[in-house]
Amino acid sequence: GRLERAATITGITVEGTLAIALSPGTATDRAGNLAPATGPSASFVVDSEGPSVTIGPPSVSAVSSGPVSFVISYAGADTVTLAPEAVTLLKTGTANGTLSVTGSGTSERTVTVSDITGEGSLGISIAAGTASDAAANTAGAAGPSQMVTVDRTPPGVVIGAPSAAVTRTGPVSFPVTYYGASAITLSVADVGIVKTGTATGTVSVSGTGDTERTITLSQITGEGTLAVSLARGTAADAAGNQSPGA
């Protein structure tokens, strides 16, 4: 007749494949014949490592109101279940924001921080268990991410005193100094001439870098007084804040 036994493997560790083989003589018949050796059996995979999860850098290094996004990469996952509840918003100062998660498939998700308020810095961390593989191993926690600066303070701009208090035809120059700017876009179109009487002149702008420009009034005619003003937005910082008018 046919008899069955079940072989169970316990205490499985590490990773690789396992199968079994039987030595000869594990059974006899009535005539005393011994069962031959048999195997190996079909093997099965031993997988004890969960999927890996990595948080990418923020989409921008500085921001005033957002949004800013982080790409979350998974490797070895068969199922990804990342939801906003599994994401912690890391904060310094008064900075805050709202979290959302988008994406599909088993390799990536995007975490976005929007409606950003306050000032300081923001980052994220991911809780354990947001992905699993075919062996039911779950992903570990990830983070903290790189932090993004939240800056809502615009660059400062100051117009200095004219190079001469009195002139007949010029030129007269005004130094313009910026504070906290990462880019200056000041052009002639941004400069207004403030006049009294019949005085007027021609505007030019010179200079490079992110701290100073020089406005020059030349070909001055008439009589009265001349000064200059600046439109809003002649400089910006890394967070996109624009300088005020001056």
Side-chain angles (χ1 to χ4, degrees):
R2 178 177 178 179
L3 299 175
E4 291 186 354
R5 297 289 186 273
T8 303
I9 303 174
T10 59
I12 296 173
T13 59
V14 197
E15 295 208 341
T17 60
L18 290 177
I20 62 170
L22 299 183
S23 302
T26 59
T28 61
D29 62 15
R30 291 180 180 177
N33 299 304
L34 298 176
T38 186
S41 67
S43 62
F44 63 92
V45 175
V46 178
D47 177 9
S48 60
E49 290 189 5
S52 65
V53 54
T54 304
I55 304 174
S59 55
V60 292
S61 61
V63 69
S64 61
S65 59
V68 58
S69 60
F70 299 82
V71 175
I72 314 302
S73 300
Y74 291 91
D78 292 287
T79 303
V80 176
T81 58
L82 179 63
E85 294 76 15
V87 183
T88 298
L89 183 62
L90 309 176
K91 315 168 189 177
T92 69
T94 59
N96 205 349
T98 302
L99 291 168
S100 62
V101 177
T102 57
S104 60
T106 59
S107 60
E108 283 189 356
R109 292 292 186 273
T110 299
V111 175
T112 300
V113 186
S114 55
D115 301 328
I116 294 173
T117 59
E119 291 199 337
S121 60
L122 294 175
I124 62 169
S125 63
I126 305 294
T130 61
S132 60
D133 60 19
N137 300 302
T138 57
S145 69
Q146 295 180 29
M147 303 293 280
V148 57
T149 300
V150 180
D151 174 13
R152 302 173 67 84
T153 303
V157 56
V158 176
I159 303 173
S163 58
V166 179
T167 186
R168 183 167 178 267
T169 59
V172 176
S173 60
F174 296 81
V176 180
T177 304
Y178 291 89
Y179 302 92
S182 59
I184 297 175
T185 58
L186 177 64
S187 68
V188 170
D190 299 315
V191 181
I193 302 179
V194 182
K195 313 172 185 178
T196 68
T198 59
T200 190
T202 301
V203 175
S204 62
V205 176
S206 59
T208 59
D210 56 14
T211 58
E212 290 187 352
R213 292 293 187 271
T214 299
I215 298 173
T216 301
L217 297 180
S218 56
Q219 300 176 355
I220 295 173
T221 60
E223 291 193 349
T225 62
L226 293 175
V228 296
S229 64
L230 300 182
R232 178 183 181 276
T234 60
D237 61 18
N241 299 298
Q242 294 190 336
S243 60

